[in-house]
Amino acid sequence: MDISLVSTIIILGTAAGICIPVGGLIASFEHIRPNWLEQEFRHFLIAFGGGILLGAVSVVLVPEGTAFMSDSVFSIPFVLAGGLTFFLIERLLDLRRRESPQLMAMVLDYVPEAIALGGLIALGSPVAPLLALLIGLQNLPEGFNAYRELKSQNNTSPRKTLLTMSLLVPVGPLAGITGYSFLSEHEPIMGAIMLFSAGGILYLIFQDIAPQSRLKKHWAPPLGAVFGFCFALFAEMLTHSA
């Protein structure tokens, strides 16, 4: 086991995970005035997170995942399996009734992406830092909205809610080390995990995140999705030009 690579995984995974409680901390400053600004800002962040997720799917997870599977047509069933699995999990937990799509999106896309991150670092892939950046950026708005959901459901203090969210930070490094340990020599399996994650993310975007981001007679939320996707695309271009 290469200590320097493990250290990189821990640093990048922790940095991405810290964005979860940071997003919650931003959300704890409630009652932005005027009220329309608070609503606009929250929906903008939801849409921005959706744009980042879409960017992660289109510029990292699908291209890299299919490449690891030698551009085989058998890549497609893994995308479908991801969407169907996330659908079944949502139905099982009845999250729509409990109105926690952001929390589910944050956890379910965070873990497989972090596993893939560990595998990419082990292989020395140039897109590994890009994936870490996108994970962190999507965790920020998801953490923001998950804080609001947790607090409204459980009616707990801000400190306790942030502490609960902070417990998710080590998940990234642990998942990354798992990917490093078991996937570095199994590229097709890592590709399958990335494609599975992509399918699940696509389901979450159109089932939960996109409907939440809409505000009547407001245009900032959909523009937030465009900004998020363009940021992911720009970061990918920088990676390949370096």
Side-chain angles (χ1 to χ4, degrees):
M1 181 175 290
D2 191 320
I3 299 301
S4 63
L5 290 180
V6 173
S7 299
T8 300
I9 293 171
I10 293 174
I11 292 170
L12 292 180
T14 302
I18 284 176
C19 291
I20 295 174
V22 169
L25 180 63
I26 296 172
S28 68
F29 296 98
E30 298 177 339
H31 306 301
I32 302 172
R33 292 292 185 259
N35 185 62
W36 68 266
L37 180 59
E38 181 176 0
Q39 286 289 98
E40 195 96 356
F41 180 65
R42 182 176 186 275
H43 284 76
F44 177 89
L45 275 182
I46 293 174
F48 181 79
I52 290 289
L53 285 168
L54 185 59
V57 168
S58 59
V59 305
V60 178
L61 296 176
V62 170
E64 295 297 318
T66 53
F68 284 134
M69 298 192 71
S70 303
D71 296 316
S72 169
V73 69
F74 293 105
S75 302
I76 297 174
F78 289 101
V79 178
L80 293 173
L84 289 171
T85 300
F86 278 43
F87 159 75
L88 291 173
I89 291 174
E90 187 182 54
R91 297 278 74 78
L92 178 65
L93 300 179
D94 197 21
L95 287 175
R96 285 184 60 79
R97 180 177 61 81
R98 294 167 54 191
E99 299 181 349
S100 296
Q102 291 296 319
L103 180 62
M104 184 183 76
M106 181 173 63
V107 174
L108 293 184
D109 59 47
Y110 181 34
V111 174
E113 284 180 319
I115 291 174
L117 175 64
L120 290 174
I121 291 174
L123 294 171
S125 173
V127 302
L130 170 63
L131 181 58
L133 175 65
L134 295 179
I135 293 173
L137 286 175
Q138 72 195 37
N139 280 344
L140 192 65
E142 286 178 344
F144 180 95
N145 292 295
Y147 173 90
R148 295 290 183 92
E149 291 174 346
L150 287 171
K151 196 164 186 306
S152 64
Q153 286 180 11
N154 303 324
N155 197 28
T156 56
S157 67
R159 179 178 296 182
K160 187 174 181 180
T161 303
L162 290 173
L163 179 61
T164 300
M165 296 176 67
S166 297
L167 296 177
L168 294 173
V169 174
V171 171
L174 291 174
I177 291 173
T178 300
Y180 169 83
S181 302
F182 296 102
L183 299 182
S184 58
E185 298 179 0
H186 303 282
E187 292 186 8
I189 296 177
M190 184 164 64
I193 290 175
M194 296 175 78
L195 293 168
F196 179 88
S197 177
I201 289 172
L202 286 173
Y203 172 81
L204 292 173
I205 289 173
F206 290 100
Q207 173 65 13
D208 293 315
I209 298 175
Q212 270 203 101
S213 69
R214 186 173 181 272
L215 268 179
K216 292 183 178 179
K217 299 182 179 180
H218 291 273
W219 296 271
L223 286 176
V226 176
F227 283 131
F229 181 82
C230 288
F231 187 93
L233 185 60
F234 175 69
E236 192 267 345
M237 290 177 177
L238 287 181
T239 300
H240 285 282
S241 65

